[in-house]
Amino acid sequence: GEDVEQSLFLSVREGDSSVINCTYTDSSSTYLYWYKQEPGAGLQLLTYIFSNMDMKQDQRLTVLLNKKDKHLSLRIADTQTGDSAIYFCAETSGSARQLTFGSGTQLTVLP
Amino acid sequence: NAGVTQTPKFRILKIGQSMTLQCTQDMNHNYMYWYRQDPGMGLKLIYYSVGAGITDKGEVPNGYNVSRSTTEDFPLRLELAAPSQTSVYFCAGAPTENTEAFFGQGTRLTVV
């Protein structure tokens, strides 16, 4: 079945760049998503990329997509303490194109 | 618009009890989903619906039931609660497939 994998933890210093990586399996996914979850809250869409794109930039966020390797990454420039959260990569799959999520990467920003 | 609203936010159930987790949306979304999130895991799809009157099983449907009598409401029913159902439950809605899903704030359920 479909599977999305991410590393579980990442720590960076405030002001540095963060790079969160993800691999996915469903090559027919039309969109790939990055969601952010703050403690005790639901998931908030950060950004997404269409499968025919290699890169998408949105202010401090850069998404890179390598379709050949089924690899997706999220780069956060000038990481701030407010960026500390869990970041989920997700692909669309199945008959209802429902989201299949990775296990999430806990990003900790150190002062 | 309130978006996607889930109630209750927290609940403790005893083994064997039943309950319904409520989810309602005012965004006229056709697609609605129920996920569960276990610690250190991603979200797993329990059930989904592509429109009123239509529901289908996701990855982990055992022990749950859903109904979709209206576009707005998508309740999740637990008939005989088990400790393995201790989790955080998220409801989500999307206007169509392949579009952004909007999530509720979650229901934290503990079965003791």
Side-chain angles (χ1 to χ4, degrees):
Chain A
E2 298 81 12
D3 200 13
V4 179
E5 295 191 354
Q6 304 176 234
S7 52
L8 289 180
F9 302 100
L10 176 66
S11 291
V12 299
R13 294 255 174 228
E14 193 173 11
D16 288 349
S17 292
S18 309
V19 180
I20 303 170
N21 294 301
C22 168
T23 56
Y24 63 96
T25 57
D26 189 342
S27 58
S28 66
S29 288
T30 311
Y31 290 93
L32 294 139
Y33 299 86
W34 283 104
Y35 278 82
K36 177 182 180 183
Q37 185 182 33
E38 296 185 18
L43 277 72
Q44 174 194 2
L45 180 68
L46 265 186
T47 187
Y48 64 92
I49 188 166
F50 190 53
S51 59
N52 69 354
M53 298 169 66
D54 298 323
M55 185 182 86
K56 180 180 178 182
Q57 188 147 2
D58 184 1
Q59 299 182 335
R60 292 191 297 122
L61 306 178
T62 303
V63 179
L64 295 178
L65 175 60
N66 180 330
K67 278 196 78 173
K68 175 176 165 291
D69 295 338
K70 297 193 184 73
H71 182 267
L72 184 72
S73 68
L74 173 70
R75 179 177 180 269
I76 305 172
D78 187 24
T79 313
Q80 302 297 307
T81 53
D83 295 324
S84 292
I86 302 176
Y87 291 80
F88 291 94
C89 168
E91 63 174 352
T92 50
S93 61
S95 56
R97 309 309 291 166
Q98 59 266 28
L99 294 167
T100 298
F101 288 86
S103 54
T105 299
Q106 171 78 60
L107 173 65
T108 302
V109 182
L110 305 169
Chain B
N1 285 352
V4 178
T5 303
Q6 291 182 236
T7 55
K9 287 188 169 53
F10 303 95
R11 184 72 187 268
I12 298 174
L13 276 185
K14 293 187 177 174
I15 294 171
Q17 284 185 320
S18 62
M19 78 164 292
T20 300
L21 282 68
Q22 301 290 347
C23 176
T24 188
Q25 52 95 4
D26 60 2
M27 304 169 84
N28 206 30
H29 289 166
N30 286 321
Y31 288 65
M32 293 189 77
Y33 309 90
W34 273 106
Y35 290 89
R36 60 176 285 172
Q37 183 182 27
D38 299 323
M41 307 284 284
L43 280 72
K44 302 286 187 187
L45 183 67
I46 305 171
Y47 269 94
Y48 65 94
S49 168
V50 301
I54 306 168
T55 63
D56 213 339
K57 294 178 180 178
E59 187 181 352
V60 289
N62 291 346
Y64 307 95
N65 274 302
V66 292
S67 59
R68 187 91 183 273
S69 56
T70 66
T71 300
E72 294 78 18
D73 300 306
F74 190 42
L76 178 73
R77 179 91 180 149
L78 283 72
E79 289 294 350
L80 287 170
S84 61
Q85 294 177 304
T86 294
S87 190
V88 181
Y89 291 83
F90 288 101
C91 178
T96 64
E97 60 186 40
N98 277 328
T99 54
E100 177 185 357
F102 295 85
F103 282 80
Q105 293 299 298
T107 296
R108 185 174 295 275
L109 176 67
T110 303
V111 182
V112 296

